[in-house]
Amino acid sequence: MNIILLGPPGAGKGTQARMLVEKHGMVQLSTGDMLRAAKDSGSEMGKQVADIMARGDLVTDEIVIGLIAEQLDNGADESGAIYDGFPRTLGQADALGELLSSRGSKLDAVVEMRVDDEAVVRRISGRFTCGGCGEVYHDDTKRPAKPDACDNCGANDFKRRADDNAESVRTRLMAYYKETSPLIGYYHAKGLLKSVDGMGDISDVQAEITSALS
Ligand code: AMP
């Protein structure tokens, strides 16, 4: 199965993608994670995108389409893929359709996660993740049982993203409404759109996604 998780920053796409990976053995293709890895590696492309990402603007279609094409060329989607944070523009959506069909593959569903903006800002400010396994925590709603160890893997390597601040969040929300939300109509017209309420507990949202996909 090939699934896109669509929703504004802070909708919980990464968290739900990780659960789908554990449950169904699919791969998570997150362009945000790939871009952060490029930045951390100090590559030319990483340097080129660092400021754009810190501001909360979108990097060019060419760069992210190239990252996804590379993953598909390496067979990353053989057991199915969950696209998290990609596509984010109509150009990226067209390119993904072409990349998949040129490989004899196709999208199975696009899950839109609906959340309200206030919740997005609250969720993002206060968010931190484990550098070891990617588990997501929050200062108010989900602290690790021991302050210096991840509940999941035990690592003491918590990270906060440079773009998880109020100003970048506003820019990211604006980018979502301007560039990404038209994809809701685009995939609806293709008969692929499923919509779930992203405001519940993580496990409730997971159950909604599972039933939307069955
Ligand atoms: P994310 O981790 O998905 O929230 O992405 C973090 C940042 O990476 C975004 O705010 C953008 O600057 C950049 N980014 C990630 N995915 C894309 C994409 N598909 N298109 C353009 N920019 C992206």
Side-chain angles (χ1 to χ4, degrees), residues 44-116:
E44 257 327 294
M45 186 269 273
K47 286 183 199 149
Q48 207 182 316
V49 299
D51 288 345
I52 300 173
M53 291 175 72
R55 280 200 307 271
D57 288 325
L58 295 185
V59 311
T60 63
D61 282 359
E62 193 187 351
I63 288 177
V64 287
I65 292 166
L67 287 170
I68 291 291
E70 195 180 313
Q71 294 289 322
L72 296 181
D73 284 344
N74 293 336
D77 64 331
E78 265 159 27
S79 50
I82 301 155
Y83 293 87
D84 158 16
F86 180 91
R88 261 174 154 101
T89 64
L90 289 168
Q92 293 175 26
D94 281 339
L96 178 61
E98 283 161 23
L99 282 171
L100 290 174
S101 73
S102 70
R103 288 163 172 80
S105 185
K106 64 172 179 48
L107 273 176
D108 296 284
V110 177
V111 179
E112 180 208 357
M113 299 174 66
R114 284 179 282 101
V115 287
D116 72 55

Side-chain angles (χ1 to χ4, degrees), residues 26-41:
M26 305 161 83
V27 293
Q28 176 184 4
L29 295 180
S30 158
T31 40
D33 285 350
M34 294 173 210
L35 291 165
R36 277 183 289 280
K39 210 174 60 163
D40 292 347
S41 77

Side-chain angles (χ1 to χ4, degrees), residues 148-171:
D148 54 358
C150 172
D151 295 346
N152 192 42
C153 75
N156 178 11
D157 182 21
F158 295 115
K159 295 184 188 310
R160 285 178 199 264
R161 282 172 45 168
D163 58 350
D164 277 354
N165 60 75
E167 203 178 329
S168 296
V169 173
R170 270 194 292 278
T171 309

